[in-house]
């Protein structure tokens, strides 16, 4: 599976600048509303130092990292759910992604136009505007379904649980509450609606370079949202990192007191809130990372490579990446007793290097 993230926010908060920095793309980053009309899409390799080390060990011909697809959605404004700005066409671009990255302006710059009438930066007000539009868009979707489903449920009593879930969902939305705050909702009953506010959300506060070390300010901003889902990134700094080699990137980040780039921070946060991990396959032809949900069994992981691998699954040969690195080769790892054979009930672990055995004739 490939991770996909929608980048949303008000106009002129630095979305496209951040998108370009993350993807090394060339999306239009202009200082006026609706500079982005059609969504910009960028596919980015997930940084993973394990791949290069395995490629060197196996003398692999090819390295294939896991990927993240970023969708830079046009700036939303108050009334977007009713067609204001460029309206619902933008909201629809969010539905096909797995999570939302909400970029919030937390920097002061008189040279950058604010879409709000206020002459000061107000992250909470900006967040409320976006959340309201996403909630209203979902409310429209649920209302359409309910009008039909209530009639169907009268005829078929078995639909009562789904009807109850829809009514609960509507009540939350009608009160202006995003569904990501309600983990108890039975998602199976509403999955086919692709509700926007059921998606996990990561708040990215776009701050200036000075604020990267202002932890008091960051703590204040965290109080506005779920603290565990808040990141602090300077889009201008991320833009400066573009095109630099690894040494220069590390030096520039260190000069700002940062250990990781915004891209790495964002990917880690996305994997965490979506409950994802990766496993590795390695050989002389290819070294590759595969993204799977935590709790995935060996046959299910094999199915990510090809459905026939899952259907005909026999066993998995598994080596822990660190054990393999210590041993220096797969042969040495086997001699050291570090290679295991796992069956259908094995739950995959993040540092597993795996070779699947299967029979396609099954």
């Amino acid at each position: 599976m490939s991770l996909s993230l929608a980048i949303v926010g008000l106009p002129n908060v630095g979305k496209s600048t951040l998108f370009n920095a993350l993807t090394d793309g060339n999306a239009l980053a202009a200082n006026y509303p609706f500079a982005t009309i059609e969504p910009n899409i960028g596919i980015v390799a997930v940084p993973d130092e394990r791949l290069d080390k395995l490629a060197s060990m196996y003398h692999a011909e090819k390295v294939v990292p896991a990927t993240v697809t970023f969708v830079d959605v046009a700036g939303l404004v108050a009334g977007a759910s009713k067609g204001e700005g460029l309206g619902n066409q933008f909201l629809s671009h969010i539905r096909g992604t797995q999570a939302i990255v909400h970029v919030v302006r937390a920097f002061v710059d008189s040279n950058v136009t604010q879409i709000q009438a206020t002459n000061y930066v107000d992250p909470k007000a900006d967040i409320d505007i976006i959340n309201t539009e996403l909630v209203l868009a979902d409310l429209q979707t649920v209302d359409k379904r309910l009008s039909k489903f209530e009639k169907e449920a009268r005829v078929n009593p078995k639909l009562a649980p789904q009807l109850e879930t829809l009514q609960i969902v509507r009540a939350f939305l009608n009160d202006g509450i995003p569904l990501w705050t309600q983990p108890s909702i039975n998602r199976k009953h509403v999955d086919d609606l692709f509700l926007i506010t059921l998606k996990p959300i990561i708040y990215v506060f776009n701050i200036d370079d000075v604020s990267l070390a202002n932890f008091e300010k960051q703590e204040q901003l965290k109080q506005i949202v779920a603290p565990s889902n808040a990141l602090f990134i300077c889009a201008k700094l991320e833009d400066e990192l573009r095109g630099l080699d690894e040494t220069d990137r590390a030096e520039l980040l260190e000069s700002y007191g940062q250990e990781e780039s915004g891209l790495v921070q964002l990917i880690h946060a996305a994997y965490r809130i979506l409950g994802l991990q990766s496993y590795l396959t390695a050989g002389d032809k290819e070294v590759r990372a595969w993204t799977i949900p935590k709790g995935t069994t060996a046959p299910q992981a094999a199915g990510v490579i090809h459905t026939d691998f899952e259907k005909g699954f026999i066993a998995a040969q598994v080596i822990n990446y660190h054990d393999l690195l210590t041993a220096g080769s797969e042969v040495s790892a086997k001699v050291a007793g570090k290679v295991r054979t796992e069956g259908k009930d094995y739950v995959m672990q993040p540092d597993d290097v795996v070779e699947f055995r299967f029979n396609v004739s099954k």
Side-chain angles (χ1 to χ4, degrees):
M1 61 183 294
S2 178
L3 176 61
S4 59
L5 304 173
I7 301 178
V8 306
L10 291 171
N12 295 354
V13 297
K15 286 190 310 84
S16 293
T17 299
L18 181 61
F19 172 85
N20 283 335
L22 296 175
T23 63
D24 202 20
N26 293 296
L28 175 62
N31 182 23
Y32 54 87
F34 310 118
T36 305
I37 298 177
E38 290 300 318
N40 298 302
I41 298 175
I43 299 176
V44 181
V46 174
D48 192 339
E49 63 179 12
R50 300 174 302 175
L51 295 176
D52 289 335
K53 291 180 180 179
L54 288 177
S56 177
M57 179 184 296
Y58 283 87
H59 305 289
E61 297 175 9
K62 185 167 63 171
V63 175
V64 183
T67 60
V68 178
T69 299
F70 288 103
V71 180
D72 177 25
V73 179
L76 300 172
V77 296
S81 60
K82 299 178 182 177
E84 292 295 329
L86 294 174
N88 270 329
Q89 59 178 305
F90 293 159
L91 293 169
S92 67
H93 296 147
I94 305 171
R95 296 189 189 280
T97 59
Q98 293 165 274
I100 298 170
V101 177
H102 183 172
V103 180
V104 183
R105 177 172 176 167
F107 64 89
V108 177
D109 188 339
S110 59
N111 294 316
V112 178
T113 304
Q114 286 192 198
I115 194 67
Q116 299 304 96
T118 59
N119 59 0
Y120 58 90
V121 175
D122 190 345
K124 185 179 186 307
D126 292 355
I127 288 170
D128 288 344
I129 289 171
I130 296 296
N131 286 352
T132 296
E133 295 310 315
L134 300 183
V135 164
L136 289 174
D138 278 352
L139 186 58
Q140 291 178 14
T141 301
V142 171
D143 278 344
K144 287 179 183 178
R145 170 62 62 86
L146 262 176
S147 64
K148 297 178 181 178
F149 206 82
E150 285 173 338
K151 297 175 184 177
E152 295 173 6
R154 291 192 200 104
V155 178
N156 184 358
K158 291 182 180 180
L159 297 179
Q162 291 96 313
L163 176 60
E164 182 182 7
T165 298
L166 279 169
Q167 291 169 335
I168 290 171
V169 164
R170 191 194 183 285
F172 283 128
L173 295 171
N174 198 49
D175 288 339
I177 300 172
L179 301 178
W180 59 64
T181 65
Q182 305 300 318
S184 62
I185 290 172
N186 189 331
R187 293 172 176 245
K188 291 181 180 179
H189 291 166
V190 289
D191 270 351
D192 62 329
L193 293 178
F194 300 100
L195 297 175
I196 296 171
T197 66
L198 267 181
K199 299 180 186 298
I201 189 163
I202 302 168
Y203 292 97
V204 172
F205 290 97
N206 186 9
I207 57 181
D208 54 46
D209 53 7
V210 175
S211 297
L212 285 170
N214 188 339
F215 301 114
E216 184 179 347
K217 177 179 179 179
Q218 293 179 19
E219 285 301 318
Q220 291 172 350
L221 291 170
K222 280 184 181 181
Q223 300 311 309
I224 302 173
V225 297
S228 60
N229 293 353
L231 297 178
F232 302 92
I233 295 175
C234 175
K236 285 187 176 181
L237 170 58
E238 297 300 317
D239 198 46
E240 289 180 40
L241 294 172
R242 293 173 63 184
L244 298 181
D245 61 32
E246 286 302 316
T247 301
D248 289 342
R249 285 170 64 88
E251 288 180 358
L252 183 57
L253 284 169
E254 186 180 358
S255 70
Y256 284 98
Q258 302 297 295
E259 296 181 0
E260 296 177 327
S261 69
L263 173 63
V264 173
Q265 293 179 55
L266 190 50
I267 289 173
H268 286 170
Y271 268 61
R272 184 180 68 253
I273 67 168
L274 289 168
L276 301 177
Q277 64 185 39
S278 63
Y279 74 88
L280 307 166
T281 53
D284 58 357
K285 296 294 183 185
E286 177 184 279
V287 168
R288 185 163 183 162
W290 304 86
T291 301
I292 55 174
K294 290 180 179 179
T296 297
T297 62
Q300 292 168 335
V304 173
I305 300 175
H306 196 286
T307 54
D308 285 344
F309 288 17
E310 181 174 2
K311 292 175 183 176
F313 179 88
I314 297 173
Q317 177 181 284
V318 182
I319 317 171
N320 176 273
Y321 165 76
H322 299 288
D323 289 341
L324 179 57
L325 211 62
T326 300
S329 71
E330 190 174 316
V331 172
S332 297
K334 287 180 179 177
V335 172
K338 298 298 184 180
V339 180
R340 329 184 294 278
T341 299
E342 302 287 359
K344 293 183 178 180
D345 295 331
Y346 178 69
V347 176
M348 301 292 292
Q349 301 301 308
D351 281 317
D352 284 346
V353 181
V354 188
E355 180 181 342
F356 293 108
R357 296 170 186 167
F358 58 94
N359 183 353
V360 293
S361 65
K362 279 192 174 183

